[in-house]
């Protein structure tokens, strides 16, 4: 893409010039224009030399090459000046002017012709009709005697004569009445952002956060909604909507996309945060309950008691008999801990009483601690380790369901590799069904408003199924509502969305749609688990079998130890 930037410092003195300088001064003063775009084609080069006096104005001259991204280079306060004659081909406007004025189509376009007679309406009707269809609605045509033509775009395009002062005065007024102009909007289901249903009369009922916003815009500015149905109405695909916008089959989407997605958006309007909802951990199996009281504190107390009694036995024996037998005393102490009578005949009776008192006291404390832990967990359910971070999601090997668009978001935003390694691509309908049921078999990724919408179903549950990971932001992107390129109401809709989001109306619409989702059955409150009496299942007898097996194993170990001790004593 190339364009030529020329600054003219002298003009031919023998050429009759129009007072175009004063006209441009009027545009600069009334509309705050700070740059002029001049389009010079092969057929209009003579007009350029004969009519235009732009010596004192900053200008950008575009020849037969497309100038791309002009708005990003020179801003939006521009006036496009196009010398034109009857021989100019529409292809020049289509191939050079239109692409160069991308995102500048709502600014003023001044066509200049060499005609000296009053411009004929029929003669230039094709030009205004082309401008109307392409979204250039602020158009002025001027001849040599500064006579002007413009168009009335609504309710139907019509060409009329006008003075410069009338045109500039009209430009100061924003058109707040679209007079029933049709606005094509894509519809589908992707709650809570957008939702579309048919009532009993077969009429479309558009709702959702951005669906309501579109309806308010249409009502406020007196437009008419024209629905463009998605191929799969049961679930709304944002990627499909972007495809429709790119093909200019729709004017706007009642949804939000990432800013900078190679598509026009009302943005950036807000920061869209996304996160994960994860299941609360499942209840612990009943047969593992007897293990839970044996925590570190209990084991340390048992170890402390064992070491204390062993130390006392060794010290007393060494004090009375002047001998040190660690192994024998170790097994004698162990016998006392497995409820066997300890053989302490060689120790005096007073010391045996003291040792028994210590064992009784410590055994009482250990038993009470164990029973306290056991009774507390039997009265309430015990759950496994809570999922509180992304690392826990990975350690539990949980699957994150994502759609095509969510995969696109994760790739564009460069999300954590830990998230992407746990994701699988799934159909939107399957994801929607699982999220409506809050199926704890999976983890779900989405915008905060989506996650809060589905978690609202747990409002009356005593033990929720799932939760949102707090303080964990997977992606944070700026977004906006997608719009068709060259749509003539882009600025109007952008200002409307800014006002809606900054005024707090969006929060009200979200809360309203959440309650509406409950009323219409899109989501439903999940009932608490049944409190009815249920027959015992095999799980309740597993713990009995494990305890009995553990008892037999301990008895067998004790038998082996006693046999070893007996043979050792026999040899002595």
């Amino acid at each position: 893409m190339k364009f030529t930037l020329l600054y003219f410092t002298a003009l031919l003195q023998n050429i009759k010039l129009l007072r175009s300088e004063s006209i441009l001064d009027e545009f600069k003063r009334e509309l705050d224009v700070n740059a002029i775009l001049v389009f010079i084609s092969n057929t209009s080069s003579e007009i350029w030399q004969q009519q235009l006096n732009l010596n004192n104005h900053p200008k950008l001259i575009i020849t037969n090459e497309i100038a791309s991204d002009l708005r990003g280079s020179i801003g939006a306060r521009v006036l496009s000046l196009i010398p034109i004659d009857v021989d100019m081909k529409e292809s020049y406007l289509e191939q050079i002017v239109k692409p160069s004025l991308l995102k500048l189509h709502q600014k003023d376009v001044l066509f200049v012709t060499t005609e000296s007679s009053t411009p004929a309406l029929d003669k230039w009707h094709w030009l205004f009709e082309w401008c109307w269809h392409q979204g250039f609605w602020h158009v002025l045509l001027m001849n040599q005697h500064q006579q002007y033509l413009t168009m009335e775009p609504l309710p139907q395009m019509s060409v009329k004569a006008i003075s410069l002062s009338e045109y500039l005065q009209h430009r100061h007024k924003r058109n707040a009445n679209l007079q029933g102009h049709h606005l094509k909007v894509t519809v589908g289901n992707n709650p809570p952002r957008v939702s579309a249903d048919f009532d009993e009369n077969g009429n479309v009922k558009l709702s959702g956060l951005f669906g309501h916003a579109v309806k308010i815009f249409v009502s406020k500015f007196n437009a008419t909604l024209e629905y463009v149905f998605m191929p799969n109405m049961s679930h709304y695909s944002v990627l499909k909507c972007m495809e429709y916008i790119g093909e200019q089959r729709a004017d706007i989407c009642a949804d939000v996309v990432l800013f900078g997605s190679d598509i026009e958006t009302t943005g950036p309007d807000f920061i869209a945060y996304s996160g994960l909802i994860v299941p609360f951990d499942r209840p612990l199996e009943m047969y593992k309950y007897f293990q839970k009281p044996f925590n570190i504190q209990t084991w340390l107390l048992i170890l402390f008691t064992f070491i204390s009694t062993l130390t006392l036995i060794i010290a007393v024996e060494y004090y009375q008999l002047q001998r040190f037998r660690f192994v024998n005393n170790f097994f004698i102490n162990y016998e006392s801990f497995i409820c066997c009578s300890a053989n302490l005949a060689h120790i005096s009776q007073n010391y045996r009483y003291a040792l028994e008192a210590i064992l009784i006291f410590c055994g009482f404390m250990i038993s009470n601690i164990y029973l306290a832990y056991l009774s507390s967990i039997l009265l309430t359910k015990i759950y496994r380790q809570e999922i509180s971070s992304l690392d826990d999601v990975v350690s539990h090997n949980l699957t994150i369901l994502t759609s095509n668009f969510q995969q696109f978001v994760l790739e564009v935003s460069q999300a954590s590799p830990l998230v992407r390694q746990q994701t699988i691509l799934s159909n939107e309908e399957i994801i929607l069904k699982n999220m409506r049921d809050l199926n704890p078999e999976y983890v779900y990724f989405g915008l905060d408003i989506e996650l809060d919408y589905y978690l609202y179903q747990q409002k009356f549950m005593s033990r929720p199924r799932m939760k949102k990971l707090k303080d964990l932001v997977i992606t944070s992107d700026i977004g906006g509502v997608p719009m068709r390129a060259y749509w003539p109401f882009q600025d109007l809709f952008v200002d409307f969305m800014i006002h809606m989001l900054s005024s707090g109306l969006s929060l009200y619409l979200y809360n309203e749609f959440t309650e509406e989702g409950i009323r219409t059955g899109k989501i439903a409150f999940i009932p608490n688990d049944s409190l009815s009496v249920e027959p015992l299942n095999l799980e309740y007898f597993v713990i009995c079998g494990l305890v009995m097996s553990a008892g037999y194993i301990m008895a067998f170990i004790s038998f082996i130890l006693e046999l070893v001790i007996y043979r050792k004593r026999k040899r002595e």
Side-chain angles (χ1 to χ4, degrees):
M1 306 295 180
K2 299 180 180 178
F3 57 86
T4 306
L5 180 63
L6 301 176
Y7 287 91
F8 286 79
T9 58
L11 294 174
L12 297 176
Q13 300 297 323
N14 59 342
I15 297 180
K16 180 180 179 181
L17 300 175
L18 284 172
R19 291 180 297 167
S20 58
E21 184 174 356
S22 62
I23 298 171
L24 300 180
D25 288 338
E26 287 289 326
F27 272 97
K28 292 181 65 176
R29 181 173 63 253
E30 296 293 334
L31 302 181
D32 196 25
V33 172
N34 62 3
I36 300 174
L37 300 179
V38 183
F39 290 84
I40 304 299
S41 66
N42 293 332
T43 60
S44 62
S45 58
E46 182 180 353
I47 304 174
W48 156 258
Q49 295 183 18
Q50 291 181 358
Q51 295 192 27
L52 302 180
N53 180 17
L54 303 175
N55 189 46
N56 298 322
H57 297 277
K59 53 197 168 293
L60 186 66
I61 301 175
I62 303 171
T63 57
N64 292 322
E65 299 285 346
I66 299 174
S68 62
D69 195 22
L70 287 177
R71 181 161 184 167
S73 304
I74 62 176
R77 295 180 297 167
V78 296
L79 169 66
S80 299
L81 199 154
I82 306 175
I84 190 171
D85 56 21
V86 292
D87 296 329
M88 176 176 284
K89 296 181 180 179
E90 188 175 310
S91 59
Y92 174 78
L93 298 175
E94 189 75 34
Q95 298 173 7
I96 304 298
V97 175
K98 180 182 176 181
S100 300
L101 294 182
L102 179 64
K103 301 182 182 180
L104 293 171
H105 61 284
Q106 294 183 278
K107 304 307 172 183
D108 295 87
V109 179
L110 176 60
F111 290 98
V112 181
T113 177
T114 56
E115 287 186 344
S116 58
S117 59
T118 302
L121 301 183
D122 296 339
K123 183 177 182 179
W124 297 105
H125 188 274
W126 70 270
L127 177 63
F128 288 99
E129 185 174 1
W130 180 88
C131 292
W132 189 86
H133 283 294
Q134 303 304 326
F136 298 94
W137 283 18
H138 304 302
V139 179
L140 196 63
L141 176 68
M142 180 185 73
N143 68 356
Q144 282 189 346
H145 299 294
Q146 297 187 14
Q147 295 174 318
Y148 303 94
L149 291 180
T150 189
M151 70 174 174
E152 284 286 350
L154 297 174
Q156 292 181 344
M157 196 279 293
S158 61
V159 182
K160 68 175 185 178
I162 195 173
S163 65
L164 181 61
S165 60
E166 290 176 341
Y167 176 84
L168 295 176
Q169 185 179 5
H170 178 74
R171 285 290 285 118
H172 283 296
K173 299 178 182 179
R174 168 165 281 183
N175 190 0
N177 184 4
L178 303 187
Q179 303 182 41
H181 185 77
H182 284 253
L183 188 155
K184 296 181 180 179
V185 56
T186 57
V187 294
N189 281 287
N190 190 15
R193 303 204 297 261
V194 61
S195 178
D197 297 297
F198 295 93
D199 59 16
E200 58 274 6
N201 298 323
N203 299 320
V204 178
K205 184 180 179 182
L206 185 64
S207 58
L209 176 58
F210 296 100
H212 278 306
V214 171
K215 288 171 61 177
I216 294 173
F217 175 81
V218 168
S219 176
K220 178 179 176 64
F221 296 102
N222 190 25
T224 301
L225 273 178
E226 181 178 338
Y227 298 107
V228 179
F229 298 101
M230 291 284 97
N232 185 1
M233 281 290 291
S234 62
H235 191 79
Y236 187 91
S237 174
V238 183
L239 292 177
K240 196 68 177 178
C241 167
M242 295 171 63
E243 179 183 332
Y244 275 39
I245 291 292
E247 296 173 355
Q248 299 198 4
R249 297 167 63 180
D251 295 324
I252 59 174
C253 291
D255 206 338
V256 62
V257 298
L258 300 182
F259 183 72
S261 302
D262 296 329
I263 198 171
E264 298 284 335
T265 59
T266 60
D269 286 337
F270 59 92
I271 301 177
Y273 295 100
S274 60
L276 299 175
I277 53 175
V278 298
F280 279 96
D281 232 337
R282 300 175 185 175
L284 195 68
E285 291 83 355
M286 295 295 295
Y287 68 88
K288 292 184 179 180
Y289 269 43
F290 80 99
Q291 299 175 351
K292 280 298 177 181
F294 288 102
N295 54 19
I296 296 177
Q297 184 178 356
T298 305
W299 284 115
L300 289 177
L301 185 57
I302 295 174
L303 180 62
F304 173 77
T305 305
F306 186 87
I307 294 175
S308 299
T309 55
L310 178 60
T311 304
L312 180 60
I313 294 173
I314 293 174
V316 170
E317 185 180 56
Y318 184 79
Y319 175 75
Q320 287 187 337
L321 305 176
Q322 299 296 317
R323 63 184 183 184
F324 182 82
R325 298 186 304 170
F326 176 79
V327 176
N328 282 359
N329 291 326
F330 179 87
F331 284 113
I332 290 173
N333 191 37
Y334 176 75
E335 288 178 352
S336 67
F337 270 80
I338 60 175
C339 302
C340 296
S341 59
N343 185 11
L344 298 173
H346 58 285
I347 297 178
S348 64
Q349 188 174 5
N350 292 334
Y351 285 112
R352 286 203 303 272
Y353 288 156
L355 182 60
E356 289 174 359
I358 293 175
L359 290 174
I360 291 172
F361 177 76
C362 292
F364 175 78
M365 295 299 296
I366 295 173
S367 299
N368 276 275
I369 290 176
Y370 177 83
L371 291 175
Y373 283 130
L374 184 60
S375 61
S376 65
I377 67 175
L378 288 177
L379 293 176
T380 57
K381 284 188 176 182
I382 298 298
Y383 294 85
R384 301 175 184 173
Q385 181 182 358
E386 284 293 338
I387 302 173
S388 57
S389 65
L390 189 56
D391 292 331
D392 292 336
V393 174
V394 177
S395 63
H396 283 68
N397 196 25
L398 295 173
T399 300
I400 304 174
L401 292 183
T402 55
S403 63
N404 284 319
F405 180 70
Q406 289 173 336
Q407 287 281 2
F408 168 74
V409 171
L410 291 174
E411 292 175 4
V412 171
S413 58
Q414 298 181 351
S416 170
L418 294 178
V419 175
R420 300 186 63 182
Q421 76 180 26
Q422 298 299 122
T423 61
I424 62 169
L425 187 61
S426 181
N427 184 273
E428 288 91 348
E429 294 183 3
I430 296 177
I431 297 175
L432 179 62
K433 182 180 183 302
N434 282 281
M435 291 190 71
R436 288 186 62 184
D437 297 335
L438 289 180
N439 184 359
E441 298 292 330
Y442 302 102
V443 175
Y444 305 99
F445 166 76
L447 296 179
D448 280 351
I449 58 173
E450 294 176 333
L451 304 183
D452 292 336
Y453 175 75
Y454 289 104
L455 289 178
Y456 185 71
Q457 301 177 105
Q458 305 179 133
K459 181 177 181 180
F460 298 107
M461 294 186 69
S462 57
R463 174 69 184 182
R465 293 182 183 177
M466 307 194 77
K467 65 177 182 178
K468 184 167 64 174
L469 287 183
K470 295 183 178 179
D471 303 324
L472 177 62
V473 177
I474 303 300
T475 62
S476 57
D477 305 286
I478 52 179
V481 178
M483 304 179 295
R484 172 175 63 86
Y486 303 103
W487 187 43
F489 306 117
Q490 283 186 359
D491 288 349
L492 190 66
F493 190 62
V494 167
D495 292 343
F496 167 79
M497 288 300 300
I498 292 174
H499 175 72
M500 191 196 77
L501 293 170
S502 61
S503 64
L505 182 60
S506 58
L507 180 60
Y508 169 78
L509 293 177
Y510 170 76
N511 293 333
E512 279 294 303
F513 180 72
T514 302
E515 296 297 337
E516 183 182 337
I518 294 292
R519 292 192 297 267
T520 58
K522 292 186 181 298
I523 55 176
F525 289 125
I526 301 175
N528 277 315
D529 294 335
S530 174
L531 300 179
S532 59
V533 178
E534 296 180 355
L536 298 179
N537 53 27
L538 185 61
E539 183 184 7
Y540 286 88
F541 300 98
V542 171
I543 185 172
C544 302
L546 290 177
V547 171
M548 184 175 65
S549 301
Y552 280 123
I553 293 173
M554 293 180 65
F556 179 75
I557 294 174
S558 299
F559 173 74
I560 297 298
L561 291 175
E562 289 180 359
L563 185 61
V564 172
I565 294 172
Y566 172 76
R567 290 182 177 179
K568 187 175 184 304
R569 288 179 177 176
K570 188 176 181 180
R571 285 197 301 269
E572 291 178 353

